[in-house]
Amino acid sequence: MRLTVNGASREIPEDCRVADLVATLTEARRGVAVAVNGEVVPRSAWAAAGLRDGDRVEVLTAAQGG
Amino acid sequence: MFKDSRLILGTGGATSLASLEAAIVASGTDLVTVALRRVDAAGPGLLPMLSRLGVRLLPNTAGCYTAADAVKTARMAREAFETDLLKLEVIGDDRTLLPDGLELLRAAETLVADGFTVLPYTSDDPVLATRLAGVGCAAVMPAGSPIGSGLGISNPHHIRLIRQAVDVPVVLDAGIGTASDAALAMELGCDAVLVASAVTRAADPARMATAMRHAVQAGMLAASAGRIPRRFHALASTADEGAAQW
């Protein structure tokens, strides 16, 4: 299925969970937040949370900023 | 909220993590801002460094132009950094980066209800500051002048009016260029000062951070020391009595 991850289109396997997707982007767990279609997915739910074709996913972390 | 240093350091604008680290240490702060960006755009190493220094995080909503975006960003920040503290920014104009007061107030109301400790970056408008305090913001953070401008405090009278108008802490945020601006902010009655560019973009960030630390302390002491009134003419400090007659 095809998702939009951090603004870029990506093909991922059907059974990919949020945790699997995050692992492809960063090794960090602390300091990372995920939203699917604008809704925060709590870290405790990453392992179980599935993804659907067309989902828009944002995976964010800390950056320098005032 | 601000502990002893009364100084919050923004982490934006530093040319390297090493210079940022040196500046944080030199500033004596225990509270630093961080932004939230996509993992592929954010460089690595920031959080481990901040964690090593033991400073608390003040996430911001930099780059948000609507209340809705700021609320979403805030919720992501709380999830990522496990803190309710939030520097709420809702920008209304991309040239001056001045806040959009209406969107800011809307976002503040929502986020206070959502349990956040909201510290809004606001303009130096005493009425807006009063409204923000009224909806439950934990502090108000008026701009001295536009972000990154280094113009200092363009309307000291308004900062003083804000200090009188609200019961929550006032943090001078944005516009500080050098140490005397930070001292003035404290002399005007601010409870703390937030500096980013003035330190991180200085030629020697750690040296400027040290200057800011001392300036904030100096301004705070001066504010409570009962300064002399301004006079139009001189008032001699040496008595005439006992002077020799030639």
Side-chain angles (χ1 to χ4, degrees), chain B residues 29-235:
Chain B
T29 188
D30 92 308
L31 186 61
V32 301
T33 66
V34 290
L36 203 55
R37 289 292 178 266
R38 288 170 167 169
V39 287
D40 20 10
L46 178 62
L47 278 184
M49 183 267 280
L50 297 177
S51 157
R52 190 171 69 248
L53 296 181
V55 290
R56 294 178 299 149
L57 300 183
L58 175 58
N60 70 23
T61 59
C64 292
Y65 279 75
T66 65
D69 282 0
V71 167
K72 279 183 192 159
T73 303
R75 289 176 177 153
M76 289 289 271
R78 176 158 68 182
E79 177 63 22
F81 308 127
E82 296 162 30
T83 175
D84 291 328
L85 281 177
L86 181 75
K87 173 179 170 177
L88 178 62
E89 284 184 60
V90 188
I91 300 302
D93 172 58
D94 62 5
R95 215 153 60 105
T96 59
L97 299 180
L98 287 170
D100 182 324
L102 291 178
E103 294 291 309
L104 182 66
L105 190 60
R106 255 182 224 132
E109 231 171 340
T110 303
L111 291 167
V112 167
D114 207 4
F116 284 88
T117 301
V118 180
L119 285 64
Y121 158 67
T122 181
S123 61
D124 65 6
D125 174 2
V127 177
L128 178 56
T130 306
R131 295 291 296 270
L132 288 163
V135 300
C137 289
V140 291
M141 306 209 295
S145 53
I147 292 171
S149 70
L151 290 172
I153 300 172
S154 56
N155 195 338
H157 185 58
H158 271 199
I159 300 301
R160 216 188 281 270
L161 284 174
I162 289 173
R163 177 59 291 169
Q164 287 180 0
V166 301
D167 289 329
V168 295
V170 177
V171 182
L172 199 288
D173 182 0
I176 284 182
T178 187
S180 52
D181 300 329
L184 175 61
M186 298 303 287
E187 288 176 24
L188 291 170
C190 291
D191 298 275
V193 171
L194 193 160
V195 289
S197 307
V199 164
T200 59
R201 295 195 165 116
D204 186 338
R207 200 170 178 84
M208 187 58 88
T210 305
M212 291 296 178
R213 174 161 60 91
H214 289 300
V216 167
Q217 294 299 318
M220 187 169 64
L221 287 169
S224 59
R227 62 150 296 158
I228 59 166
R230 288 184 169 83
R231 291 173 191 275
F232 192 69
H233 289 125
L235 176 66

Side-chain angles (χ1 to χ4, degrees), chain A residues 5-7 25-26 30-35 38 40-44 46 58-66, chain B residues 10-12 14 17 20 33-40 42 46-47 60 72 75-76 79-82 87 89:
Chain A
V5 181
N6 284 352
L25 293 166
T26 174
R30 287 198 59 231
V32 176
V34 178
V40 176
V41 181
R43 189 172 299 118
S44 56
W46 289 1
E58 294 284 341
V59 184
L60 308 183
T61 191
Q64 289 179 40
Chain B
T11 58
L17 280 182
L20 178 60
T33 66
V34 290
L36 203 55
R37 289 292 178 266
R38 288 170 167 169
V39 287
D40 20 10
L46 178 62
L47 278 184
N60 70 23
K72 279 183 192 159
R75 289 176 177 153
M76 289 289 271
E79 177 63 22
F81 308 127
E82 296 162 30
K87 173 179 170 177
E89 284 184 60

